[in-house]
Amino acid sequence: MLRICAINLYSLACILYSSRVTIEKFLADTPENLRGTILAFADSVKKITAEIGTAETSEAGSQNTFGENQLKLDVLADQIIFGELEACPPVAIAASEEQSNEKVLHADGEFSVAFDPLDGSSLVDSNLAVGTIFGIWKGKGFIGKTGRAIIAAGYAIYGPRTTFTLSLGEKPVEFTLQKNGEWKLSLAKMEIGEGKMFAPGNLRACAENKNYLALLDFWAENGYQLRYSGGMVPDVHQILVKSKGIFSYPGSASCPPKLRLIYECAPLAFIVEAAGGASTNLETSILDEKVLDLDQRTVIAVGSQKEVDRFRKFLTV
Ligand code: AHG
Ligand code: MN
Ligand code: MN
């Protein structure tokens, strides 16, 4: 009886603690330059949230460096984030998925940031959840570095709620945007365990990539739960929240890997590995892949250690 009371008191204390923890309190002991840069992204997400509900989903009539038609929302989210970063002196360089070159913002800044202002933007017209992804790297520039230079990474999800997930290297935490504009801690110290859930991207590659097809068969034959929305951010966040599973996006000759190393894969791999999970590009951790080009794409699987190991085993037969 005493034990049950103790557990209830503990869980009550956790609820009370998290209900009072805002992002500013969580970052109270973080150095000002890093805290300010993270809050610049958190403020951007609030502004994107205010727009995404009613903004047009039509095309902007322009293309990004990947030759993809930009939506007005891609451009709007990009402008909002640059607006915040231009007022953030610690940011020396900013690279966006929607811009062809990195931009020098503050010559004396200590960090370089790479971000995808709106990931999954083609899903907005179907009203599916989309996200913003960012990584904060030590020093100036990205070329020649690996994801090990990332000191903090995070993502937002614009869904039924707006959430902001963040890691500075330790277990990721999630904040939920409140009506009063505060970010309230909603999930503390997320960890990835083992379990049967899969989010298989780029299935069209199976026509040529028979190893991927064999892995799909394994998942189907072994009762894995399919959870795939087409939006990388919610698809990966689900693995953290449910504490299990794998997200994969390999390729084939005619359907090559599409996801970008610095804007999408490295930040998400940083967060998943911080949660005790794993990542792979089939050779190394995503965080050990050297950046040769800002628009570099990579094979990616992120998730629990066992599932990522299985992915690599099947795909490299
Ligand atoms: P973006 O909208 O920034 O171009 O990226 C979308 C990505 C990612 O969210 C998702 O996993 C992947 O596109 C889905 O790709 P397919 O449409 O090829 O399945
Ligand atoms: Mn993207
Ligand atoms: Mn995008």
Side-chain angles (χ1 to χ4, degrees):
M1 188 59 182
L2 210 57
R3 193 171 137 69
I4 293 169
C5 291
I7 291 170
N8 287 342
L9 275 175
Y10 175 72
S11 45
L12 181 64
C14 289
I15 291 165
L16 287 174
Y17 167 74
S18 61
S19 66
R20 285 208 316 271
V21 177
T22 61
I23 195 167
E24 290 80 5
K25 276 195 192 138
F26 178 79
L27 295 172
D29 301 331
T30 302
E32 165 51 32
N33 55 3
L34 181 54
R35 183 172 67 243
T37 306
I38 293 168
L39 291 177
F41 280 103
D43 290 344
S44 302
V45 169
K46 282 191 208 172
K47 291 183 176 171
I48 294 169
T49 300
E51 298 294 338
I52 199 165
T54 52
E56 278 185 66
T57 58
S58 53
E59 294 199 350
S62 50
Q63 288 199 331
N64 63 17
T65 183
F66 300 94
E68 296 160 337
N69 294 338
Q70 291 174 313
L71 300 188
K72 286 179 182 154
L73 257 177
D74 285 317
V75 175
L76 177 62
D78 194 52
Q79 287 166 349
I80 288 172
I81 296 172
F82 269 107
E84 290 294 330
L85 295 178
E86 279 153 10
C88 186
V91 177
I93 289 173
S96 162
E97 182 187 277
E98 299 307 331
Q99 301 280 343
S100 38
N101 301 300
E102 62 188 34
K103 291 185 185 297
V104 175
L105 299 186
H106 305 282
D108 299 338
E110 308 100 291
F111 305 133
S112 296
V113 299
F115 58 93
D116 180 355
L118 202 62
D119 178 79
S121 47
S122 59
L123 302 172
V124 173
D125 57 2
S126 332
N127 202 20
L128 287 167
V130 292
T132 293
I133 308 168
F134 68 91
I136 302 172
W137 300 53
K138 266 193 307 283
K140 291 184 179 165
F142 305 93
I143 304 299
K145 289 186 184 165
T146 69
R148 300 294 175 192
I150 293 175
I151 51 174
Y155 54 77
I157 298 179
Y158 311 99
R161 293 172 298 157
T162 292
T163 58
F164 188 82
T165 298
L166 173 68
S167 171
L168 286 76
E170 69 295 317
K171 300 252 177 293
V173 290
E174 177 202 72
F175 297 91
T176 298
L177 187 58
Q178 303 300 297
K179 289 194 182 77
N180 65 1
E182 273 192 343
W183 288 105
K184 191 178 90 172
L185 183 72
S186 37
L187 287 173
K189 298 188 185 308
M190 290 184 273
E191 285 191 73
I192 297 178
E194 295 296 342
K196 295 183 173 183
M197 188 172 78
F198 69 123
N202 206 15
L203 288 186
R204 43 192 174 274
C206 289
E208 295 168 311
N209 187 334
K210 296 309 175 191
N211 290 340
Y212 195 30
L213 186 59
L215 180 55
L216 262 295
D217 287 343
F218 174 89
W219 285 327
E221 286 158 1
N222 287 274
Y224 277 60
Q225 186 184 28
L226 172 64
R227 283 288 181 273
Y228 185 76
S229 74
M232 185 181 194
V233 183
D235 289 344
V236 171
H237 189 54
Q238 187 157 218
I239 295 168
L240 284 153
V241 174
K242 307 295 184 192
S243 186
K244 63 181 176 181
I246 183 166
F247 169 89
S248 57
Y249 203 106
S252 66
S254 57
C255 300
K258 143 181 180 181
L259 298 173
R260 283 113 326 191
L261 177 60
I262 66 169
Y263 303 117
E264 297 160 322
C265 299
L268 292 178
F270 177 88
I271 291 167
V272 168
E273 293 195 12
S279 73
T280 188
N281 60 9
L282 290 180
E283 285 159 25
T284 65
S285 156
I286 294 282
L287 296 179
D288 291 319
E289 181 169 341
K290 186 173 273 191
V291 179
L292 305 173
D293 209 323
L294 294 190
D295 62 2
Q296 188 167 325
R297 299 170 193 262
T298 181
V299 167
I300 181 171
V302 287
S304 72
Q305 187 65 61
K306 276 191 187 154
E307 295 306 335
V308 169
D309 291 345
R310 189 191 325 278
F311 173 83
R312 190 173 41 248
K313 187 166 80 55
F314 269 82
L315 272 286
T316 54
V317 167

